[in-house]
Structures are given as structure tokens and as C-alpha cells.
């Protein structure tokens, strides 16, 4: 482990030296790659440097204890020695965790899809609350939220909503939200005071990078344009700006209507489709690996 840590420390110093070169900013792709690698290595390097410093403290304290006769000074050295040893144990555990292989998708942006399930209007209200919760959480972490598509009902609920969260480590924080979520309560739509159970499904998919080549054959896609539904204003539902894509091989249907421009909605719909296809491929691969095991 410590050989690996020394290699990472050496690599971190190489990155800093390269970033200090005036010509590195001319190649933006290289600059971004170096900045990301530096960001990934920083917590490991900081923990390892503190570990080495604590080891030096232990060695110095032991050396001074051998030559120190003053009892009060010896007690101080012993206390310092014990604190350093305790911190070394904590840092060893921390370093082992930091060196674990990361999910390659952890730093990616995410596309989140929330759908109302059992429970009718109450499920749609629950879906809207969960959407607002994720938006507030993202804003608290200074992430950007961009709405892709929403199907609202009149009382403030959402039958379905899709949105993109852009920010460092978004997928690592959001990936465990996938699944069915349930609420048991007396809903606003209930007049008799009875407790209802409502469910929604949440899907979290890593946004597909531009450099990942996912080929979508034109003959496998049907593109429909239509008027956007929902609240009007600002030409949103007065022109044929909404776009629906149907992918024949998988049966996936995606819809985007939040932008005034048909081209912008089409681009958003294709981004969502690519993420869904990538997520489906990953799930199939993981399923095959699990079956093999």
C-alpha cells in the first residue's frame, strides 16, 4: 500500500509542475484532465502527508523519551506519542478506503427520472415533493438543475418528471436513490382521514459523455413533434416545439417540451435516450456478470 502511496505522491507533484507550465492552458482537454486528476488525488495525498508527519512525531517522541529525565516533560511526550499513534491508526483506515477502486461514473452528471406509481393523484403529489427535495439538495451542494420534461396535474402534482443535475460527484451522491419510494399518510386528496399508501419510482442514470460513442441508427428512431402540454406562456405551447422519440429496438419513449425551440428539445430528448440506452447496457452487463458468478 505504501509503495502505491509514494507513487501517487510522486504523480501528484508531477501534475502540479505540469499545471504551472504556461503552455498547458493552451490545450484545454489536457488542462481539464490534469485538474480532474489533481482533484482526485488531493484527499489521498493530504491524508498520506499527515500520516508521514504523524510517523515522524512518533519517532521524535520516542527519541526524546530516551534522553529526557524531567517527569513532567516525559508525560507531555507520552501524551503526544499516544495521540500520534491513535491518529496513525485512523489514517491507515482512511487511506485503505481512499485507495479502493472508484466507480468510473461517480464524477458524472446525472439524469433523474421520477414517475408516479400506485396512489393516483396522491402519488403525483408525492413525486412533486421528491422532485423539489432533490432540487433543494442540489442547490445546497451548488449543483445546477436543468428540467428536461414534466407532466403535471392540476393540483400541483407530477405524473412524471425528468431533469439533469450537473455538479462534481453528482452520480456518487445520487446513484443510491434509484428504486421505488413509498409514503404512508393522510393525503390532501382524502376527505375521510384515512391513511393511504402511495409509491413513486426513481431512476438515476449517469449522463453520457460526448466522447462515448453510442450509435443510434436513424431507421430505429421515430421522431414526433407536437404542441407542448401544460401551462402556457412564452410560446411554449403555441408552436410545435415538443419532441417525442421512440426507439423501436428497445421500446424506449422519451419526451422533451421544456424549451421554446424544437431543436433544443430534440437535443435534450436525444441526450436522455442515450443515457437510458447506456444504463440499460450497463444493467445487462452487470446481470450477465452476476449470473456467471
Amino acid at each position: 500500500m505504501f509503495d502505491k502511496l509514494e507513487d501517487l505522491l510522486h504523480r501528484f507533484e508531477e501534475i502540479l509542475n505540469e499545471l504551472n507550465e504556461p503552455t498547458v492552458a493552451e490545450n484545454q482537454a489536457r488542462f481539464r484532465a490534469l485538474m480532474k486528476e489533481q482533484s482526485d488525488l488531493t484527499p489521498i495525498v493530504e491524508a498520506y502527508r499527515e500520516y508521514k508527519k504523524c510517523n515522524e512525531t512518533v519517532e521524535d517522541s520516542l527519541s526524546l523519551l530516551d534522553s529526557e529525565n524531567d517527569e513532567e516533560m516525559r508525560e507531555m511526550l507520552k501524551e503526544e506519542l499516544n495521540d500520534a499513534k491513535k491518529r496513525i491508526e485512523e489514517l491507515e483506515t482512511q487511506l485503505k478506503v481512499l485507495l479502493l477502486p472508484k466507480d468510473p461514473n461517480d464524477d458524472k452528471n446525472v439524469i433523474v427520472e421520477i414517475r408516479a406509481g400506485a396512489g393516483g393523484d396522491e402519488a403525483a403529489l408525492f413525486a412533486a415533493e421528491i422532485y423539489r427535495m432533490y432540487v433543494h439538495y442540489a442547490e445546497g451542494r451548488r449543483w445546477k438543475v436543468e428540467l428536461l420534461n414534466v407532466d403535471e396535474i392540476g393540483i400541483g402534482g407530477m405524473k412524471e418528471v425528468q431533469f439533469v443535475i450537473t455538479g462534481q460527484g453528482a452520480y456518487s451522491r445520487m446513484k443510491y436513490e434509484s428504486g421505488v419510494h413509498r409514503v404512508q399518510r393522510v393525503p390532501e386528496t382524502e376527505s375521510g382521514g384515512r391513511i393511504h399508501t402511495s409509491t413513486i419510482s426513481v431512476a438515476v442514470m449517469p449522463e453520457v459523455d460526448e466522447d462515448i460513442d453510442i450509435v443510434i441508427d436513424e431507421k430505429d428512431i421515430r421522431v414526433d413533434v407536437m404542441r407542448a402540454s401544460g401551462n402556457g406562456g412564452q410560446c411554449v405551447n403555441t408552436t410545435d416545439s415538443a419532441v417525442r422519440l421512440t426507439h423501436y429496438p428497445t421500446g424506449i419513449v422519451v419526451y422533451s417540451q421544456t424549451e421554446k425551440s424544437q431543436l433544443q428539445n430534440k437535443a435534450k430528448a436525444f441526450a436522455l435516450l442515450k443515457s437510458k440506452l447506456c444504463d440499460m447496457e450497463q444493467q445487462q452487463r452487470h446481470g450477465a456478470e452476476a449470473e456467471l458468478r
Side-chain angles (χ1 to χ4, degrees), residues 60-109:
D60 292 343
S61 297
L62 288 171
S63 177
L64 289 168
L65 275 170
D66 289 338
S67 58
E68 185 61 57
N69 295 319
D70 183 75
E71 197 58 37
E72 187 176 341
M73 193 65 181
R74 287 179 64 84
E75 285 300 317
M76 287 178 60
L77 288 169
K78 286 178 182 178
E79 186 177 343
E80 190 178 61
L81 178 64
N82 289 332
D83 289 344
K85 284 183 175 179
K86 184 179 178 182
R87 184 59 182 151
I88 283 172
E89 289 179 8
E90 293 172 353
L91 287 166
E92 281 182 353
T93 304
Q94 184 181 338
L95 285 166
K96 287 175 184 176
V97 173
L98 287 170
L99 288 174
L100 289 172
K102 286 179 64 178
D103 185 333
N105 292 323
D106 274 354
D107 290 329
K108 290 185 178 179
N109 304 326

Side-chain angles (χ1 to χ4, degrees), residues 138-176:
E139 289 172 348
R141 300 192 67 87
R142 299 183 181 276
W143 292 341
K144 178 184 173 186
V145 179
E146 183 182 6
L147 190 64
L148 290 176
N149 176 49
V150 60
D151 183 6
E152 297 177 296
I153 63 173
I155 58 174
M158 296 176 176
K159 289 183 180 179
E160 178 184 340
V161 58
Q162 288 121 10
F163 55 99
V164 180
I165 297 178
T166 305
Q168 181 72 26
Y171 185 72
S172 69
R173 293 279 180 172
M174 293 293 296
K175 62 184 176 182
Y176 300 112

Side-chain angles (χ1 to χ4, degrees), residues 211-250:
D211 55 351
I212 295 177
D213 189 20
I214 294 182
V215 179
I216 301 176
D217 199 321
E218 288 187 9
K219 68 175 183 292
D220 291 338
I221 294 284
R222 189 180 78 211
V223 181
D224 298 311
V225 295
M226 61 204 74
R227 296 273 174 98
S229 58
N231 297 328
Q234 298 183 347
C235 304
V236 170
N237 61 359
T238 59
T239 59
D240 292 333
S241 59
V243 174
R244 182 176 63 211
L245 302 180
T246 306
H247 189 243
Y248 293 125
T250 59

Side-chain angles (χ1 to χ4, degrees), residues 48-67:
Y48 184 48
R49 282 174 173 167
E50 187 182 351
Y51 175 86
K52 293 176 77 172
K53 189 176 179 181
C54 287
N55 266 326
E56 289 174 5
T57 301
V58 168
E59 291 174 5
D60 292 343
S61 297
L62 288 171
S63 177
L64 289 168
L65 275 170
D66 289 338
S67 58

